[in-house]
Amino acid sequence: MPMNSALLIEGALVPASGGNTFATINPATETVLGRAADADADDMDRAIGAARAAFDDTDWSRDTALRVHCLRQLRDALNDEIEQLRSITVAEVGAPVSLTYGGQLQMPVDGLGYVADLAEAYAWTTDLGPAAPFGKPTGRTVVREPCGVVGAVTPWNFPHQINFAKLGPALAAGNAVVLKPAPDTPWCAAEVGRIIHDHTDFPPGVINIVTSGDHRVGAQLTEDPRVDLVSFTGSTATGRAVMVAASHTIKRVFLELGGKSAYVVLDDADLPAACASAAAGVAMHAGQGCAFTTRLLVPRARYDEAVEAASTAMSGIGFGDPTDPATLCGPLISARQRDRVEGYLKIALAEGGRFGCGGGRPVEPSSGFYIEPTVIAGLGNDARVAREEIFGPVLTVIAHDGDADAVRIANDSPYGLSGAVVGTDQDRVDWVASRLRTGTINVNGGVWYSPDAPFGGYKQSGIGREMGLAGFEEYLETKLIAKGVQ
C-alpha cells in the first residue's frame, strides 16, 4: 500500500516547499509504507497566514449555515471512503482493525455530525434583559464568537479521534485551523486533507494540514502571534513547553495530557471479572491510550488472587497482526516507543517487582514493535511504574486497605485523567467515585466515551475539555454588547 502525501495549504494540495519528504513506517511489519511531505518553517508560515486571511477576510466565521454544510459534507465524504481510511489506520497506526469501528475511526467521523448539529442549534446570542447601570437605560446582549486561528497539534495513538475532536468543534465554532499531526502518523491526516480538497466546500485557508518530521514546525503554532488558541494533545512534559511558549503572546491553550489512571476494585466486587476487564482495557491498542486505567487497585487480602486473575486474562489476550479481527493488542508505534516500554519493565524488576505474565518482547511475531501484555506485581504506589505514564500494554497491581485507602492511592498521582470503580454496594461505589480527582470515571462498566460527552483531566492531565458542549465552547470567545436605550 505505497503512498505519497501532500500538504493542504490555502485550499491546495502541495508538496513541501523544499521538496523534502520523510518515511512513514508500518509498526506491525517495520516496512516503509510511503513518504509524507516534510514541511519546514516556511510552509508553516504560509499555512498560518492562509488561516489568518480566511478568518479575517471572509465570512466563514459568521456563516453558520456554511459551516454546518461543510462539516456534514466532510462526514459523508469520509464515510464514502471509510474502508480506505480503515486500511490506512491499521497500517500506519498499528491499530487493531476491530477498534476502527469505534474510537479509532468510525465514531470520530460520525462525531462531525454531532458538532454540526450543535452549531446549527446553538444560542449564539443571549439577551440579558434591560438594566440601568449608573442610571443609564441599557440593552445588553452576550455574543459567543470564534477565537480566530486555532493551532492544533496532535499525537499518533488515536489520530482520527484526536484530529476530529479538534477540527470538528473548532470549525463548527467558526475558527480557521492549522493542524500539525504527529510525525508517526502523517498519512491519516493527509488523507483527510485530500478528502477535504476533493469533496467539500470548505473555503481556501479555513483548514490547513501541515505534516512534518520536525517538531519545531509544530512549535511555531505556539509562538506565532497570528495564532489565537493552541489545542494540544500529548505528553505532560511537552504540554508544559506549550504553555511557556504560548505565554509570550498570551494566547489561550487547551491541553489534554498524560494519565496514570486507577481501576479501583472494592472488596464486594466480582474480582476475577474486574481483573479481566482491567487487563483487556490496558492491553487494547498495546496500552497506547492516555485514559487507560493502568493501575489496578485491589483489596490486600485478595492480592495474590487478583494478580493471578489479571495475569490469566492478560495471557489470553490476542496480540499480533492488527489486520486480524481477533487481535486486541497490536504493536507499539515505533522502535523508540518499544525501547521506552522495555526500559520501564527493567525498572520494575530493579525496584523489586515481578511479572505475573509477559515482561518483554514476544518470540512471535518476529518483526514489528511488539511487547507482550504484561502484569507487574509486588510494588506499591511509590514505584516509578505506578507513577509514570508507560504507554504500553502494562498493568501494575497495587494493594489497598479499604475504600478510603483506595481513594488515597488513586488520587496520589500527578495525573487525574480517568478512572474506574467496581463494586456491588452502589452507595460505596458512589462514595469512591465522588472522591476521585479525575475528569472521567467508569462506574461498574459504564462507558464515558461519546462525541456528546466532555473529556479532559484534572491536575497535570490538562486544561479544558474536548468533545461535548464544553469542548465546543473551548473554541469560543464571549463578547458583551451594551446598547444605550433612548
Side-chain angles (χ1 to χ4, degrees):
M1 193 190 298
M3 71 91 187
N4 290 283
S5 67
L7 312 176
L8 177 63
I9 299 178
E10 203 171 4
L13 296 175
V14 296
S17 58
N20 295 324
T21 62
F22 65 100
T24 182
I25 306 298
N26 184 324
T29 63
E30 303 183 47
T31 58
V32 175
L33 291 167
R35 304 196 69 83
D38 193 4
D40 60 17
D42 290 340
D43 295 310
M44 180 57 81
D45 183 71
R46 288 193 298 120
I48 295 171
R52 190 75 259 171
F55 183 81
D56 291 341
D57 302 334
T58 75
D59 288 332
W60 170 258
S61 65
R62 290 169 289 277
D63 193 340
T64 303
L66 175 61
R67 302 199 301 270
V68 169
H69 162 73
C70 289
L71 284 166
R72 289 175 178 158
Q73 236 185 357
L74 178 56
R75 175 201 58 195
D76 295 343
L78 292 166
N79 273 317
D80 287 342
E81 300 199 29
I82 201 74
E83 293 309 319
Q84 171 73 358
L85 289 168
R86 193 184 320 282
S87 297
I88 290 169
T89 306
V90 174
E92 187 176 52
V93 185
V97 65
S98 61
L99 302 184
T100 65
Y101 295 91
Q104 275 287 8
L105 180 60
Q106 190 65 66
M107 288 181 71
V109 168
D110 292 341
L112 294 172
Y114 164 76
V115 292
D117 294 346
L118 181 57
E120 188 172 51
Y122 190 69
W124 296 94
T125 62
T126 303
D127 185 354
L128 293 184
F134 305 107
K136 174 64 177 178
T138 303
R140 302 160 302 152
T141 304
V142 175
V143 180
R144 303 306 303 274
E145 297 181 338
C147 292
V149 173
V150 171
V153 182
T154 58
W156 43 260
N157 58 325
F158 281 79
H160 297 299
Q161 160 55 36
I162 300 169
N163 289 346
F164 292 141
K166 298 184 188 303
L167 287 175
L171 295 167
N175 300 281
V177 182
V178 180
L179 171 65
K180 166 59 175 68
D184 295 288
T185 52
W187 193 7
C188 287
E191 270 298 285
V192 172
R194 180 191 63 78
I195 291 170
I196 289 169
H197 175 270
D198 292 349
H199 301 295
T200 74
D201 298 324
F202 283 99
V206 165
I207 308 177
N208 305 272
I209 298 176
V210 181
T211 60
S212 178
D214 185 349
H215 289 286
R216 291 173 297 180
V217 171
Q220 283 179 246
L221 291 168
T222 67
E223 299 162 356
D224 196 303
R226 295 171 294 175
V227 176
D228 300 289
L229 183 152
V230 173
S231 183
F232 170 81
T233 299
S235 72
T236 296
T238 305
R240 293 190 189 101
V242 169
M243 289 188 74
V244 171
S247 69
H248 296 298
T249 51
I250 317 296
K251 59 170 54 73
R252 288 170 57 183
V253 295
F254 164 85
L255 303 174
E256 196 272 285
L257 307 176
K260 194 68 183 178
S261 303
Y263 191 114
V264 178
V265 182
L266 303 187
D267 59 15
D268 63 346
D270 182 336
L271 185 70
C275 292
S277 174
V282 171
M284 181 176 64
H285 189 32
Q288 298 171 118
C290 54
F292 292 178
T293 45
T294 54
R295 291 182 294 155
L296 176 61
L297 276 53
V298 300
R300 188 175 302 278
R302 302 183 69 185
Y303 183 80
D304 291 341
E305 180 187 352
V307 170
E308 181 178 358
S311 301
T312 298
M314 274 283 205
S315 299
I317 288 171
F319 74 92
D321 182 2
T323 65
D324 184 344
T327 296
L328 181 66
C329 180
L332 296 170
I333 190 66
S334 64
R336 179 185 66 256
Q337 183 62 20
R338 181 182 60 189
D339 290 346
R340 182 176 186 273
V341 175
E342 284 185 308
Y344 274 106
L345 297 179
K346 292 175 183 175
I347 288 169
L349 294 178
E351 291 185 325
R354 66 182 190 278
F355 299 135
C357 66
R361 301 185 191 186
V363 175
E364 294 291 339
S366 58
S367 63
F369 307 126
Y370 291 94
I371 289 288
E372 297 170 308
T374 299
V375 170
I376 296 174
L379 296 174
N381 199 54
D382 56 345
R384 283 185 62 186
V385 292
R387 304 199 67 78
E388 299 177 14
E389 190 173 41
I390 298 174
F391 235 58
V394 180
L395 180 66
T396 303
V397 187
I398 301 169
H400 69 75
D401 295 310
D403 299 1
D405 190 49
V407 169
R408 178 191 64 79
I409 295 170
N411 288 338
D412 181 18
S413 170
Y415 301 112
L417 188 55
S418 188
V421 187
V422 294
T424 56
D425 185 327
Q426 194 62 51
D427 288 340
R428 288 176 59 197
V429 170
D430 291 344
W431 185 92
V432 171
S434 70
R435 285 159 175 78
L436 295 182
R437 298 280 296 164
T438 66
T440 60
I441 300 175
N442 163 340
V443 174
N444 282 333
V447 177
W448 47 259
Y449 171 70
S450 177
D452 65 341
F455 172 72
Y458 291 17
K459 299 186 283 186
Q460 292 185 35
S461 285
I463 297 172
R465 291 295 179 270
E466 204 148 60
M467 302 191 298
L469 176 62
F472 174 72
E473 291 184 334
E474 290 284 349
Y475 296 95
L476 295 174
E477 293 279 15
T478 301
K479 176 185 286 183
L480 176 68
I481 298 175
K483 295 182 178 179
V485 177
Q486 301 302 320

